[in-house]
């Protein structure tokens, strides 16, 4: 879930040292969309490998004096080394822009490149079974919190024991679960090695074999070409993709590419189930279980919605208006979907669609269905705005890794995004108002914007959204804002214009009543409104065409991909969303229900479960998710004691 890139040149490349630095700088900046929490570089001069890495954005990294001096000194060493005819003629550089998944970036050992004895490497992806691999290889010393380290150490150990590179790669990729796109230097070889199990590596190699550039995404290389720094050294038509389960052995003495596959007879290791224990729960007594407080609420006799639900009423039989007005879901059908896909499906196996992937159950199943059942050639896309959980990231890695699907990440300035959320929560706590809670999630709505941008960058016309199904309709989020009718066909752009105006009026009113909302997040909030309600919606929604069945969805992804469930709740919905446990705690505390009650009620109406089962799930799913609440508070910098105290004392609707 990072950006990796690099450049190899020899004296025939006709690219100056100044331009080389400029290209590397741009590779850092263009890769920042994939990770902006740390950056690092390794420069192989033929005589030494010089490394520098630091927490902070790539844009700031390339401005640092330490980086500039490292580059200057490495170039000097390279020039001196060229005089020695017995050594390599190439200067080779690899770089990394980091999205933190394992290990805090504040500890520099956890940033990349990763240095182990005899090897330097960089990694994009998540290896989800790294803990098991450490347990199975107790002879290897663990020195960082990175999953990258175990990959490099096992690989190096195999090579040291006499196994050739191709067989070693095949074996290590058989052992791991998750995703791994790797670039590495070995001390005893004059080579750059690249490998991937997802296809998330692209490269340029000119006809003279004098200049080689690689990056995590095609558009990054297109931008390098468009910058005109490299001139006629490389043409855009030469951009090539390293396919899933392929590797490159680049000889640094002549820049010749040895491309090979390690997929044949590859068996993917099945990960053991993860366990997670909550220790010292008695320390968190402020987290209240409100189940007893809402047990006497009047509920619909058909579904489980309570009397506190917005705009609810009950007829003489005790049935709510939502059940009375419910119309059975009718999907458009698989035949209609396949007819549409005829216009987009590639004939040569090249990518033909983009699939929005959150790491949740529906999007993971959607990617599986689009690849396996529909026979499309997708690229997966995730917008990680800082509140995507590590569990969701691991599940993305599992599915993409096994399917061999390229996974593109877009990430903003995460620290800033989390700050915006904290500001709005702190403002909300001054005047708790249930209709204002969606402000906490405004930051993730750029998902739509980046999907549109990715269409332009890749020239792929079709974008699938599988991140929601027709059962998920939750009108209460609009109801608390005074809007009686919520989403239409699960498309926010289809909400009536009057309701869109009413929504703006509601927010403006509460901004004026609570001026703390006028903070630095305001522009981000306005942008979220635009991306969600105004901008053109030309996406294809998978679950408008195929039937959704919870058991089938969950069973498939667990069986096929070892999809990981949360340990602090029995529901599988929204477990990859870091915000869900927090806002559901508020809704249950103040209104006596959670969004799960909407899902459960819709499942009852559609005949998936009966009311008795629905009531059991309602009680079970409403239990506070202690681990997730604490993780959320830590991520955005909330004082959880003060926050929970204010939530618990807020005025209730029952």
């Amino acid at each position: 879930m990072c950006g990796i890139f690099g450049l190899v040149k020899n004296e025939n490349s006709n690219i100056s040292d100044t331009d080389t630095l400029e290209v590397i700088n741009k590779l850092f900046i263009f890769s920042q969309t994939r990770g902006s929490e740390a950056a690092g570089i390794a420069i192989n001069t033929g005589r030494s490998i010089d490394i520098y890495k630091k927490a902070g954005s790539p844009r700031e990294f390339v401005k640092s004096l330490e980086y500039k001096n490292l580059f200057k000194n490495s170039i000097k060493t390279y020039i001196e080394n060229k005089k020695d005819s017995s050594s390599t003629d190439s200067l080779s550089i690899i770089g990394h822009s980091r999205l933190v998944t394992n290990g805090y970036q504040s500890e520099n050992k956890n940033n990349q490149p990763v240095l182990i004895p005899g090897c330097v490497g960089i990694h994009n992806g998540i290896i989800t079974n790294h803990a098991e691999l450490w347990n199975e290889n107790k002879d290897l010393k663990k020195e960082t919190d990175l999953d990258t380290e175990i990959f490099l150490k096992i690989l190096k150990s195999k090579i040291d024991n006499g196994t050739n590179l191709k067989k070693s790669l095949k074996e290590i990729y058989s052992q791991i679960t998750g995703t791994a796109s790797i670039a590495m230097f070995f001390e005893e070889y004059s080579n750059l090695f690249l490998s991937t199990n997802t296809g998330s590596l692209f490269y340029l190699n000119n006809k003279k074999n004098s200049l080689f550039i690689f990056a995590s995404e095609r558009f990054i290389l297109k931008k390098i070409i468009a910058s005109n720094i490299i001139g006629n050294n490389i043409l855009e038509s030469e951009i090539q993709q390293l396919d899933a389960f392929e590797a490159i052995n680049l000889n640094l003495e002549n820049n010749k590419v040895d491309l090979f596959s390690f997929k044949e007879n590859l068996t993917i290791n099945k990960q053991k189930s993860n366990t997670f224990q909550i220790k010292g729960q008695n320390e968190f007594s402020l987290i209240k279980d409100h189940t007893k407080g809402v047990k006497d609420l009047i509920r619909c006799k058909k579904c489980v919605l309570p009397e506190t639900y917005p705009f609810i009423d009950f007829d003489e039989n005790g049935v709510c208006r939502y059940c009375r007005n419910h119309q059975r879901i009718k999907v458009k059908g698989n035949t209609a979907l396949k007819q549409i896909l005829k216009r987009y499906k590639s004939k040569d196996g090249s990518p033909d669609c983009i699939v929005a992937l959150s790491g949740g159950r529906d999007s993971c199943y959607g990617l599986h269905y689009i690849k396996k059942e529909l026979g499309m050639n997708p690229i997966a896309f995730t917008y990680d705005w800082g509140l995507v959980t590590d569990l969701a990231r691991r599940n993305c890695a599992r599915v993409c890794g096994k399917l061999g699907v390229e996974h593109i990440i877009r990430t903003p300035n995460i620290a800033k995004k989390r700050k915006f959320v904290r500001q709005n929560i702190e403002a909300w706590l001054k005047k708790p108002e249930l209709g204002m809670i969606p402000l906490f999630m405004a930051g993730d709505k750029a998902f739509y914007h980046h999907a549109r941008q990715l269409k332009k960058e890749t020239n792929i016309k079709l974008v699938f959204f599988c991140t929601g199904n027709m059962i998920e309709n939750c009108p209460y989020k609009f109801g608390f804002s005074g809007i009686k009718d919520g989403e239409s066909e699960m498309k926010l752009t289809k909400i009536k214009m009057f309701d869109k105006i009413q929504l703006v009026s509601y927010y403006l009113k509460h901004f004026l009543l609570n001026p703390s909302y006028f903070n630095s997040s305001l522009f981000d909030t306005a942008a979220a409104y635009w991306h969600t309600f105004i901008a053109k919606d030309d996406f294809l929604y998978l679950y408008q065409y195929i039937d959704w069945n919870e058991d089938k969805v969950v069973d498939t992804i667990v069986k096929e991909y070892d999809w990981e469930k949360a340990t602090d709740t029995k529901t599988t919905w929204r477990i990859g969303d870091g915000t869900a446990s927090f806002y559901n705690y508020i809704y249950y505390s103040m209104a006596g229900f959670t969004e799960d009650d909407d899902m459960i009620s819709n499942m009852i109406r559609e005949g998936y479960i009966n009311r008795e089962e629905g009531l059991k799930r309602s009680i079970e799913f409403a239990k506070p998710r202690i681990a997730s609440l604490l993780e959320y508070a830590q991520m955005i910098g909330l004082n959880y004691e003060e926050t929970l105290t204010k939530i618990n004392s807020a005025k209730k609707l029952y």
Side-chain angles (χ1 to χ4, degrees), residues 74-103:
S74 297
I75 291 291
K76 183 179 178 181
T77 302
Y78 167 64
I79 292 173
E80 292 174 351
N81 201 46
K82 284 199 298 183
K83 299 175 183 178
D84 182 359
S85 60
S86 66
S87 66
T88 177
D89 289 329
S90 294
L91 174 73
S92 47
I93 304 167
I94 57 176
H96 190 270
S97 61
R98 187 178 181 211
L99 173 65
V100 172
T101 52
N102 298 96

Short mmCIF file of all heavy atoms in Angstrom, two decimals, residues 74-103:
data_model
loop_
_atom_site.label_atom_id
_atom_site.label_comp_id
_atom_site.label_asym_id
_atom_site.label_seq_id
_atom_site.Cartn_x
_atom_site.Cartn_y
_atom_site.Cartn_z
N SER A 74 26.69 10.43 -3.77
CA SER A 74 26.56 9.15 -4.48
C SER A 74 26.94 9.31 -5.95
O SER A 74 27.59 8.44 -6.53
CB SER A 74 25.13 8.63 -4.36
OG SER A 74 24.80 8.35 -3.02
N ILE A 75 26.52 10.41 -6.55
CA ILE A 75 26.89 10.68 -7.95
C ILE A 75 28.40 10.79 -8.07
O ILE A 75 29.02 10.28 -9.02
CB ILE A 75 26.20 11.95 -8.46
CG1 ILE A 75 24.69 11.74 -8.59
CG2 ILE A 75 26.80 12.40 -9.78
CD1 ILE A 75 24.29 10.79 -9.68
N LYS A 76 29.02 11.44 -7.11
CA LYS A 76 30.48 11.58 -7.12
C LYS A 76 31.15 10.21 -7.05
O LYS A 76 32.11 9.94 -7.80
CB LYS A 76 30.92 12.45 -5.93
CG LYS A 76 32.42 12.72 -5.89
CD LYS A 76 32.76 13.60 -4.69
CE LYS A 76 34.27 13.83 -4.62
NZ LYS A 76 34.64 14.68 -3.45
N THR A 77 30.64 9.36 -6.17
CA THR A 77 31.19 8.00 -6.06
C THR A 77 30.99 7.23 -7.35
O THR A 77 31.87 6.48 -7.80
CB THR A 77 30.51 7.26 -4.90
OG1 THR A 77 30.69 7.99 -3.69
CG2 THR A 77 31.07 5.86 -4.74
N TYR A 78 29.82 7.39 -7.96
CA TYR A 78 29.51 6.70 -9.21
C TYR A 78 30.47 7.13 -10.32
O TYR A 78 30.98 6.29 -11.08
CB TYR A 78 28.06 7.00 -9.60
CG TYR A 78 27.69 6.63 -11.00
CD1 TYR A 78 27.72 5.30 -11.42
CD2 TYR A 78 27.30 7.60 -11.92
CE1 TYR A 78 27.37 4.95 -12.73
CE2 TYR A 78 26.95 7.27 -13.21
CZ TYR A 78 26.99 5.95 -13.61
OH TYR A 78 26.64 5.61 -14.90
N ILE A 79 30.72 8.42 -10.43
CA ILE A 79 31.63 8.93 -11.47
C ILE A 79 33.04 8.38 -11.26
O ILE A 79 33.71 7.96 -12.21
CB ILE A 79 31.64 10.48 -11.46
CG1 ILE A 79 30.27 11.00 -11.92
CG2 ILE A 79 32.75 11.01 -12.36
CD1 ILE A 79 30.12 12.51 -11.77
N GLU A 80 33.48 8.38 -10.02
CA GLU A 80 34.80 7.83 -9.72
C GLU A 80 34.86 6.35 -10.03
O GLU A 80 35.88 5.82 -10.50
CB GLU A 80 35.14 8.08 -8.24
CG GLU A 80 35.35 9.55 -7.90
CD GLU A 80 35.53 9.79 -6.41
OE1 GLU A 80 35.34 8.82 -5.65
OE2 GLU A 80 35.84 10.92 -6.02
N ASN A 81 33.74 5.68 -9.78
CA ASN A 81 33.71 4.23 -9.96
C ASN A 81 33.73 3.84 -11.43
O ASN A 81 34.18 2.75 -11.79
CB ASN A 81 32.46 3.68 -9.28
CG ASN A 81 32.58 2.20 -8.97
OD1 ASN A 81 33.60 1.76 -8.46
ND2 ASN A 81 31.55 1.44 -9.29
N LYS A 82 33.21 4.73 -12.31
CA LYS A 82 33.19 4.42 -13.73
C LYS A 82 34.59 4.28 -14.31
O LYS A 82 34.78 3.65 -15.35
CB LYS A 82 32.43 5.51 -14.49
CG LYS A 82 30.92 5.42 -14.35
CD LYS A 82 30.18 6.18 -15.43
CE LYS A 82 30.49 7.66 -15.39
NZ LYS A 82 29.72 8.40 -16.40
N LYS A 83 35.57 4.88 -13.63
CA LYS A 83 36.95 4.79 -14.10
C LYS A 83 37.50 3.38 -13.93
O LYS A 83 38.49 3.01 -14.56
CB LYS A 83 37.82 5.80 -13.34
CG LYS A 83 37.38 7.24 -13.54
CD LYS A 83 38.18 8.18 -12.66
CE LYS A 83 37.69 9.62 -12.80
NZ LYS A 83 38.44 10.56 -11.91
N ASP A 84 36.87 2.61 -13.06
CA ASP A 84 37.28 1.24 -12.81
C ASP A 84 36.53 0.33 -13.77
O ASP A 84 35.35 0.06 -13.60
CB ASP A 84 36.97 0.87 -11.36
CG ASP A 84 37.42 -0.55 -11.02
OD1 ASP A 84 37.95 -1.23 -11.92
OD2 ASP A 84 37.22 -0.96 -9.87
N SER A 85 37.18 -0.15 -14.79
CA SER A 85 36.52 -0.93 -15.83
C SER A 85 36.01 -2.28 -15.35
O SER A 85 35.21 -2.92 -16.03
CB SER A 85 37.49 -1.15 -17.00
OG SER A 85 38.65 -1.85 -16.55
N SER A 86 36.47 -2.71 -14.18
CA SER A 86 36.04 -4.02 -13.68
C SER A 86 34.69 -3.96 -12.98
O SER A 86 34.14 -4.99 -12.61
CB SER A 86 37.07 -4.57 -12.69
OG SER A 86 37.14 -3.75 -11.53
N SER A 87 34.15 -2.77 -12.78
CA SER A 87 32.88 -2.64 -12.05
C SER A 87 31.76 -2.26 -13.01
O SER A 87 31.98 -1.97 -14.18
CB SER A 87 33.00 -1.58 -10.95
OG SER A 87 33.19 -0.31 -11.53
N THR A 88 30.53 -2.22 -12.48
CA THR A 88 29.36 -1.90 -13.29
C THR A 88 29.41 -0.48 -13.81
O THR A 88 29.95 0.42 -13.19
CB THR A 88 28.07 -2.09 -12.47
OG1 THR A 88 26.96 -1.70 -13.26
CG2 THR A 88 28.09 -1.24 -11.21
N ASP A 89 28.81 -0.30 -14.98
CA ASP A 89 28.73 1.04 -15.56
C ASP A 89 27.44 1.75 -15.16
O ASP A 89 27.22 2.90 -15.55
CB ASP A 89 28.80 0.96 -17.10
CG ASP A 89 30.19 0.58 -17.59
OD1 ASP A 89 31.16 0.94 -16.91
OD2 ASP A 89 30.26 -0.08 -18.64
N SER A 90 26.54 1.08 -14.45
CA SER A 90 25.21 1.63 -14.20
C SER A 90 25.09 2.26 -12.82
O SER A 90 25.68 1.78 -11.84
CB SER A 90 24.14 0.54 -14.34
OG SER A 90 24.06 0.09 -15.67
N LEU A 91 24.30 3.32 -12.78
CA LEU A 91 23.85 3.91 -11.52
C LEU A 91 22.42 3.44 -11.32
O LEU A 91 21.57 3.59 -12.21
CB LEU A 91 23.89 5.43 -11.59
CG LEU A 91 23.31 6.18 -10.37
CD1 LEU A 91 24.28 6.07 -9.20
CD2 LEU A 91 23.05 7.63 -10.71
N SER A 92 22.12 2.83 -10.21
CA SER A 92 20.78 2.30 -9.97
C SER A 92 20.21 2.85 -8.67
O SER A 92 20.91 2.90 -7.65
CB SER A 92 20.78 0.77 -9.95
OG SER A 92 21.82 0.27 -9.14
N ILE A 93 18.95 3.26 -8.73
CA ILE A 93 18.30 3.94 -7.60
C ILE A 93 16.92 3.33 -7.38
O ILE A 93 16.18 3.10 -8.34
CB ILE A 93 18.15 5.44 -7.89
CG1 ILE A 93 19.52 6.08 -8.20
CG2 ILE A 93 17.48 6.17 -6.73
CD1 ILE A 93 19.42 7.47 -8.79
N ILE A 94 16.57 3.07 -6.13
CA ILE A 94 15.21 2.65 -5.80
C ILE A 94 14.68 3.57 -4.71
O ILE A 94 15.42 4.03 -3.85
CB ILE A 94 15.13 1.18 -5.34
CG1 ILE A 94 16.05 0.91 -4.14
CG2 ILE A 94 15.47 0.24 -6.49
CD1 ILE A 94 15.93 -0.52 -3.58
N GLY A 95 13.37 3.87 -4.76
CA GLY A 95 12.76 4.78 -3.80
C GLY A 95 11.42 4.28 -3.31
O GLY A 95 10.78 3.42 -3.94
N HIS A 96 10.97 4.87 -2.21
CA HIS A 96 9.76 4.37 -1.53
C HIS A 96 8.99 5.54 -0.93
O HIS A 96 9.56 6.40 -0.26
CB HIS A 96 10.19 3.41 -0.42
CG HIS A 96 9.06 2.64 0.21
ND1 HIS A 96 8.36 3.10 1.31
CD2 HIS A 96 8.52 1.44 -0.10
CE1 HIS A 96 7.44 2.21 1.64
NE2 HIS A 96 7.51 1.19 0.81
N SER A 97 7.68 5.58 -1.19
CA SER A 97 6.78 6.51 -0.49
C SER A 97 5.84 5.65 0.33
O SER A 97 5.18 4.75 -0.20
CB SER A 97 6.00 7.37 -1.49
OG SER A 97 5.21 6.59 -2.34
N ARG A 98 5.75 5.91 1.62
CA ARG A 98 5.14 4.95 2.54
C ARG A 98 3.76 5.34 3.04
O ARG A 98 3.53 6.47 3.48
CB ARG A 98 6.06 4.75 3.76
CG ARG A 98 5.57 3.62 4.67
CD ARG A 98 6.48 3.36 5.84
NE ARG A 98 5.95 2.25 6.63
CZ ARG A 98 6.10 2.12 7.93
NH1 ARG A 98 6.79 3.00 8.62
NH2 ARG A 98 5.56 1.11 8.57
N LEU A 99 2.85 4.37 2.94
CA LEU A 99 1.58 4.40 3.66
C LEU A 99 1.73 3.42 4.80
O LEU A 99 1.93 2.22 4.57
CB LEU A 99 0.43 3.99 2.75
CG LEU A 99 -0.95 3.80 3.42
CD1 LEU A 99 -1.46 5.11 3.97
CD2 LEU A 99 -1.94 3.21 2.43
N VAL A 100 1.66 3.87 6.02
CA VAL A 100 1.98 3.03 7.17
C VAL A 100 0.93 1.94 7.35
O VAL A 100 -0.27 2.21 7.42
CB VAL A 100 2.09 3.87 8.46
CG1 VAL A 100 2.23 2.98 9.68
CG2 VAL A 100 3.29 4.81 8.36
N THR A 101 1.40 0.69 7.43
CA THR A 101 0.54 -0.45 7.77
C THR A 101 1.12 -1.19 8.98
O THR A 101 0.43 -1.43 9.95
CB THR A 101 0.38 -1.41 6.58
OG1 THR A 101 1.68 -1.76 6.08
CG2 THR A 101 -0.41 -0.75 5.47
N ASN A 102 2.39 -1.56 8.91
CA ASN A 102 3.04 -2.23 10.04
C ASN A 102 4.20 -1.37 10.53
O ASN A 102 5.08 -1.00 9.76
CB ASN A 102 3.60 -3.60 9.62
CG ASN A 102 2.52 -4.55 9.16
OD1 ASN A 102 2.27 -4.67 7.98
ND2 ASN A 102 1.87 -5.21 10.09
N GLY A 103 4.21 -1.04 11.82
CA GLY A 103 5.33 -0.29 12.40
C GLY A 103 5.18 1.21 12.24
O GLY A 103 4.91 1.73 11.16
#
